[in-house]
Each structure stands twice: as structure tokens, then as C-alpha cells.
Amino acid sequence: MGITFQNDTLTLPEIETQFKNEWILVENPVFDAKDKLVSGTVRCHSANRDDVYQRGSELRLRHSAFLYTGKPPENFMINL
């Protein structure tokens, strides 16, 4: 499956429902007081992380976030 482009502003539950097990690029993300994503404009999504990261690099968005809506694999580590 390739990358799909969007311009829909959605809440996090809407994103998780519409784009299961996919990588998402969100423009103008809104976060709550605990830094949890609340909503934002979905710019693109794909099952392939590299496709979404590449598109994010091309768009050069001023405010953006990446998220994955699937279950992380075992021994998965996030490096910030």
C-alpha cells in the first residue's frame, strides 16, 4: 500500500479509527496538558513509515507530529 494524502482535521479517536495500523503525519497538532495528541490535520498516512517520513521532509511543515496507530512490536524502543 502506498502513501495516501489527506487534509482532514480529526480528533485522535477519529484518526485511530480511520487509519488503523498506519503511520500518520499530522499538521498543526493540538496537545493536552499531559502532551497527549488531541487533534490535528492529517496530511498523509501509509502503512510504510518511511513514506510518511519522506513526505514530512518534503512538506517542511512548521508544526507537525508523527504517530503510529498500531500496536508497537515487542522490544520496541522510542528514542527522542
Side-chain angles (χ1 to χ4, degrees):
M1 179 189 305
I3 193 167
T4 303
F5 303 101
Q6 302 283 135
N7 282 308
D8 301 327
T9 299
L10 302 171
T11 65
L12 181 59
E14 291 171 329
I15 292 169
E16 291 172 334
T17 299
Q18 289 186 32
F19 309 109
K20 292 183 181 187
N21 301 314
E22 290 197 68
W23 290 90
I24 316 293
L25 171 59
V26 178
E27 183 176 19
N28 298 322
V30 176
F31 297 94
D32 66 13
K34 295 182 180 179
D35 291 330
K36 182 175 179 178
L37 181 70
V38 174
S39 65
T41 303
V42 175
R43 291 303 304 267
C44 65
H45 62 94
S46 174
N48 185 320
R49 181 196 64 186
D50 293 341
D51 290 345
V52 176
Y53 279 27
Q54 177 65 36
R55 184 63 179 156
S57 176
E58 292 167 1
L59 289 173
R60 295 179 162 202
L61 301 174
R62 186 172 180 141
H63 302 286
S64 63
F66 293 94
L67 68 134
Y68 181 65
T69 58
K71 182 179 177 183
E74 286 186 37
N75 301 320
F76 184 77
M77 181 186 300
I78 297 175
N79 187 10
L80 301 174

